[in-house]
Amino acid sequence: MAARDVETSREDGQRTPAARLRAQRIAGLLIFLANGFCIGTWVTRIPDFKRALALSEATLGNVLLAPALGAFVGMPMAGWLVARLGSRAVAVSSGAAFAVSLFGLALARTPVELFLALTFFGVSNGVMDVSMNANAAEVELAWGRPIMSSFHALYSVGGLAGAAVGGGLAHAGVAPAAHLSLAAVAALLLVGLLSAWVRPGVPAREPPGNPFALPPRAMWPLCAIAFLCMFGEGAMADWSAVYLRDTLGTSAAFAATGFAAFSVAMAAGRFLGDGVSTRLGPVAVVRGGAVLVTLGLAAALLIGRPMAGLLGFASVGLGLSCVVPTVFSAAARTGPTGTSIAAVATFGYLAFLGGPPVVGHIAAATSLPVALSLIVVGALAIVLLAGAAGGPAPAPRLAGAAGDPPPASRGDHGAGASS
């Protein structure tokens, strides 16, 4: 009996850390869901604010720069804060601030007030983006195999859910202020309930003194991959429908399916990405995804037919779906988690915002198919840089963390494998 009691005690000791790690993963997934939900909520009400505040297209464009400006301040600051306070404290507090920022948007009554509210929206989102990815990277390191894509998949689900709910409430005639306030309360409650379950972050032993310093040279290839990947994402978001409608002459309804094909393929790829990365390794995921983008989009642009365009955009979504999550994981293994992810995210976000205007200017000088071929060139560059996505191998996974045997008995297809 005594021996059995000792054995049971040891089993319980193994289960407790594993169960805790599972809870931390679920909490992180829901934090990503909340972030995407808040963004999807805001996006659906932009037309309402344009009408209510009588904003011209130019004025609206200027106002919509505010979230970008805020994010560029928030992202580097997030790495600095994570290094000092740990990822959980920053992720939870910035998540609460991001939810509260929806109240600010609901109260905006002038273009200036909306600009200021969107600036706070951007700062809090930038800090939340980096800190929740840093926390997810810490969970992944403890898990011992790739799971980062699942977090980004939940972000996509949250964005789609926020847009769907927002579209339904807008169609039902619910005022933007009421809608945003309800969403803020829901997100704030969710973040508050999750706060105790989010994985505790460990502050850096030597936190950086300057949050806006350039990343070390070892991070530059990862920053370049993120830049090229999110250049493609931004171009798809702004130009896929224009290409189908104006270049190929489709209907407005068909043109709208271009970005839908890209988005659905990206979400699907993120749900599948962790399993593929476990089997093939992160380098193969990044390189294979970039090859898919190169072949799929190049063929679509050469064929120049609507259905080929849809398939090409879907190939871009599927090919790019796991690149950023994989790069974030590699960055977390290469240097201090918070500052490393902040550097990669900032470069990626710069391309996401700056890519569409570049495509527009090149299209004006040549043609839109020529401008979109920049995505193909960027994907080819990612193929060459993909080796940087391997990074150091993660720490061994806790035995039984998700019902699997320890890594030693499963084979060597871990997160650190490369092709």
Side-chain angles (χ1 to χ4, degrees), residues 275-350:
V276 175
S277 186
T278 299
R279 289 169 176 78
L280 303 180
V283 175
V285 168
V286 173
R287 184 171 288 143
V291 169
L292 177 61
V293 173
T294 301
L295 297 178
L297 186 58
L301 294 175
L302 290 172
I303 294 171
R305 295 289 187 270
M307 286 307 300
L310 283 185
L311 293 175
F313 297 155
S315 71
V316 175
L318 184 61
L320 296 182
S321 60
C322 298
V323 173
V324 167
T326 302
V327 167
F328 279 179
S329 294
R333 299 194 302 271
T334 302
T337 303
T339 53
S340 298
I341 289 179
V344 172
T346 302
F347 275 86
Y349 200 64
L350 174 65

Side-chain angles (χ1 to χ4, degrees), residues 231-316:
F231 180 96
E233 291 187 29
M236 286 291 97
D238 285 22
W239 291 102
S240 56
V242 176
Y243 171 77
L244 292 173
R245 180 73 187 274
D246 295 346
T247 303
L248 301 186
T250 69
S251 66
F254 188 92
T257 63
F259 184 63
F262 167 80
S263 300
V264 171
M266 175 163 279
R270 286 174 170 173
F271 277 111
L272 298 172
D274 291 330
V276 175
S277 186
T278 299
R279 289 169 176 78
L280 303 180
V283 175
V285 168
V286 173
R287 184 171 288 143
V291 169
L292 177 61
V293 173
T294 301
L295 297 178
L297 186 58
L301 294 175
L302 290 172
I303 294 171
R305 295 289 187 270
M307 286 307 300
L310 283 185
L311 293 175
F313 297 155
S315 71
V316 175

